[in-house]
């Protein structure tokens, strides 16, 4: 117990979303890429155990990691893929476990685009344009045809409908971190000159059409949310002004929540953060952007993920209206019931358990793999192992994926 017990009030307050769903508090488990599907990319009992534990941990909202819409295009080998209802029973069990603690549970749906990992069994990656990401080991994608773009919009909608039918109370579109939606928005990744690119308005058409198709496909009362970059932090890329224009347009599309992140795997601000003095003082990486966005999009709840560590900073962010929901990711891989402990004052801070081996080019990959190992422990019914060494994670990463795995890996 901390010396001075801090029992937050703003964080503990319920939040009613525009579509009517009620979050029991303002803490959310943000997406982490669990990689706990089976070899057929179906949900497993390990996912049920992991999410049942998180659901008992006090979060008002749980957001799953990447659920892919096309099994030909994977981000990691064991992503869950939902193209049809072949795994409906397993999806239903996963959704039930995710809601078992009385919280709201959403599935994050995604397509990796040019970040598809061909070593994971993917076909040649597809993307808005044939522009390769500047990430070692990735290949130049094939540019999508106009008909294929339309087909992908339908896939997002079909996947959302199946997940809602399985019992997830909402879906979150992953439009951040350099994945397909983010690629369409980026003037560096999207160099088309047709209905889907050529200027800012046409680049944002894809995400607008996806949101509309998903909203039309899911039952009334199903939450529809999006995770979007504040910027990709690349010269000539998707910047904050364009991001705000996109979110203003999206705010008119009946969204329930906007989660703000930033960066891509070429420039990973979502991992490393923007360490300006003001950011260090307030902890959250993207809180200043959220405050500016609030002025332009006042009626859509905002969630900020990345960097929050103390009850004091989380409580202040919500109490001042800078954001409505605080997202926690890696800390919940170490302490799955951290939300409950923060809310009742048993702890006043969380630890993400950052693990380093002291080699800058390896550290991010090792850290993320170490956290993936903690998810596997919980999926197997064990406790996390915060004392597990970074070197053990590094060895496991190499054994499992080869030396090529020593590059930045994905979060949710």
């Amino acid at each position: 117990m901390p010396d001075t017990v801090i029992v937050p009030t703003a964080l503990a307050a319920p939040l009613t979303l525009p579509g009517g769903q009620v979050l029991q508090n303002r803490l959310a488990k943000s997406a982490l890429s669990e990689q706990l599907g089976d070899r057929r990319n179906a949900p497993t009992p390990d996912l049920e155990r992991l999410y049942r534990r998180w659901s008992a941990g006090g979060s008002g909202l749980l957001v799953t990691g990447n659920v892919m819409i096309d099994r030909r295009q994977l981000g990691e080998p064991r992503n869950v893929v939902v193209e049809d209802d072949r795994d409906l029973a397993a999806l239903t069990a996963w959704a039930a476990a995710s809601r078992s603690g009385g919280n709201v549970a959403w599935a994050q749906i995604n397509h990796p685009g040019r970040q598809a990992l061909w070593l994971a069994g993917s076909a040649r990656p597809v993307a808005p344009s044939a522009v390769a990401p500047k990430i070692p080991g990735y290949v130049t994608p094939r540019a999508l045809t106009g008909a294929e773009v339309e087909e992908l919009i339908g896939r997002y909608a079909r996947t959302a409908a199946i997940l809602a039918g399985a019992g997830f109370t909402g879906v979150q579109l992953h439009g951040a971190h350099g994945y397909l939606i983010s690629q369409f928005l980026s003037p560096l990744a999207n160099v088309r000159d047709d209905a889907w690119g050529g200027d800012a308005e046409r680049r944002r058409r894809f995400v607008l059409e996806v949101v509309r198709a998903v909203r039309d496909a899911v039952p009334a009362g199903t939450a529809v949310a999006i995770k979007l970059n504040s910027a990709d932090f690349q010269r000539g890329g998707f910047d904050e002004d364009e991001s705000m224009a996109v979110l203003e347009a999206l705010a008119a599309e009946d969204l329930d929540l906007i989660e703000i992140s930033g960066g891509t795997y070429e420039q990973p601000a979502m991992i490393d953060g923007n360490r300006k003095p003001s950011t260090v003082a307030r902890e959250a990486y993207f809180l200043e952007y959220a405050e500016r966005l609030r002025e332009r999009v006042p009626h859509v709840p905002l969630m900020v993920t990345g960097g929050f560590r103390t009850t004091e900073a989380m409580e202040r962010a919500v109490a001042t209206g800078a954001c409505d929901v605080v997202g926690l990711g890696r800390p919940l891989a170490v302490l799955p019931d951290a939300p409950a402990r923060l809310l009742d004052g048993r702890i006043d801070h969380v630890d993400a358990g950052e693990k380093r081996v002291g080699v800058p080019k390896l550290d991010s990959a090792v850290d993320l793999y170490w956290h993936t190992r903690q998810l596997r422990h919980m999926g197997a019914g064990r406790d996390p192992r915060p004392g597990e060494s970074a070197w053990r994670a590094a060895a496991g990463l190499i054994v499992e994926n080869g030396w090529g795995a020593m590059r930045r890996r994905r979060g949710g």
Side-chain angles (χ1 to χ4, degrees):
M1 183 75 83
D3 293 336
T4 302
V5 176
I6 301 174
V7 180
T9 56
L11 284 178
L15 174 66
T16 301
L17 302 178
Q21 289 188 25
V22 179
L23 307 187
Q24 60 189 8
N25 60 59
R26 306 303 183 89
L27 291 173
K29 177 259 162 192
S30 62
L32 296 168
S33 190
E34 311 93 356
Q35 301 179 59
L36 287 175
D38 66 17
R39 295 186 182 276
R40 296 175 42 255
N41 303 108
T44 61
D46 285 19
L47 276 171
E48 292 177 49
R49 283 188 286 267
L50 174 61
Y51 274 82
R52 191 175 300 279
R53 184 157 188 177
W54 271 332
S55 188
S59 296
L61 168 65
L62 298 184
V63 183
T64 75
N66 295 318
V67 174
M68 296 295 173
I69 65 173
D70 186 341
R71 66 186 63 250
R72 299 167 299 180
Q73 303 284 332
L74 304 177
E76 295 91 12
R78 296 181 66 189
N79 285 146
V80 171
V81 179
V82 176
E83 297 176 306
D84 50 43
D85 62 2
R86 74 183 73 178
D87 298 314
L88 186 59
L91 287 169
T92 301
W94 182 20
S98 301
R99 303 189 322 270
S100 59
N103 54 282
V104 167
W106 298 349
Q108 184 189 76
I109 58 179
N110 193 10
H111 188 293
R114 66 181 187 169
Q115 291 182 173
L117 188 61
W118 64 272
L119 291 174
S122 297
R124 182 181 175 185
V126 295
S129 302
V131 179
K134 296 176 182 178
I135 308 173
Y138 285 81
V139 300
T140 300
R142 177 178 61 79
L144 291 158
T145 66
E148 287 174 324
V149 173
E150 297 279 1
E151 193 265 344
L152 282 172
I153 292 169
R155 280 183 176 268
Y156 277 99
R158 183 163 58 252
T159 297
I162 294 165
L163 289 164
F168 285 100
T169 57
V171 294
Q172 182 193 65
L173 300 172
H174 198 336
H177 303 174
Y179 292 114
L180 184 66
I181 289 174
S182 182
Q183 290 162 32
F184 268 96
L185 292 169
S186 168
L188 297 178
N190 181 356
V191 295
R192 302 172 75 102
D193 189 19
D194 63 0
W196 305 101
D199 56 37
E201 184 174 356
R202 284 179 286 172
R203 287 196 301 271
R204 78 179 66 125
R205 181 186 171 197
F206 181 73
V207 66
L208 289 169
E209 294 291 347
V210 169
V211 169
R212 291 165 186 162
V214 166
R215 175 57 76 192
D216 288 344
V218 298
T222 303
V224 177
I226 191 164
K227 182 174 188 172
L228 201 76
N229 278 358
S230 61
D232 61 21
F233 301 102
Q234 294 176 286
R235 186 181 299 277
F238 186 65
D239 61 22
E240 289 193 0
D241 288 340
E242 190 168 342
S243 173
M244 287 201 183
V246 171
L247 288 169
E248 280 189 293
L250 285 168
E253 300 296 332
D254 200 20
L255 286 178
D256 286 273
L257 185 72
I258 294 168
E259 181 181 0
I260 299 164
S261 190
T264 69
Y265 291 95
E266 298 172 274
Q267 189 69 30
M270 68 286 186
I271 297 171
D272 299 327
N274 178 357
R275 307 306 289 167
K276 295 187 300 183
S278 59
T279 300
V280 173
R282 304 178 73 191
E283 298 183 11
Y285 299 156
F286 309 108
L287 198 58
E288 293 178 5
Y289 174 89
E291 289 174 322
R292 293 194 297 274
L293 178 63
R294 170 77 75 195
E295 297 176 1
R296 297 172 64 167
V297 183
H299 62 285
V300 180
L302 303 180
M303 172 174 163
V304 174
T305 300
F308 281 113
R309 293 294 178 264
T310 67
T311 304
E312 181 181 3
M314 299 177 207
E315 176 78 358
R316 183 171 60 247
V318 174
T320 61
C323 66
D324 301 284
V325 180
V326 168
L328 297 173
R330 288 180 295 169
L332 270 61
V334 180
L335 190 65
D337 64 345
R341 292 169 179 259
L342 289 166
L343 290 169
D344 67 15
R346 280 179 284 167
I347 59 175
D348 61 7
H349 69 280
V350 292
D351 181 2
E354 285 90 350
K355 295 294 179 178
R356 301 287 187 265
V357 294
V359 182
K361 291 185 177 180
L362 307 185
D363 278 342
S364 290
V366 169
D367 183 63
L368 285 170
Y369 185 76
W370 185 90
H371 284 85
T372 299
R373 287 176 63 89
Q374 306 317 307
L375 305 189
R376 291 179 180 176
H377 292 323
M378 289 190 283
R382 302 187 293 263
D383 288 333
R385 298 175 181 174
E388 194 167 59
S389 75
W391 285 107
R392 182 168 184 174
L397 179 59
I398 295 169
V399 169
E400 185 171 325
N401 299 286
W403 284 101
M406 285 304 197
R407 59 174 177 263
R408 295 188 187 275
R409 291 164 59 91
R410 298 166 175 78

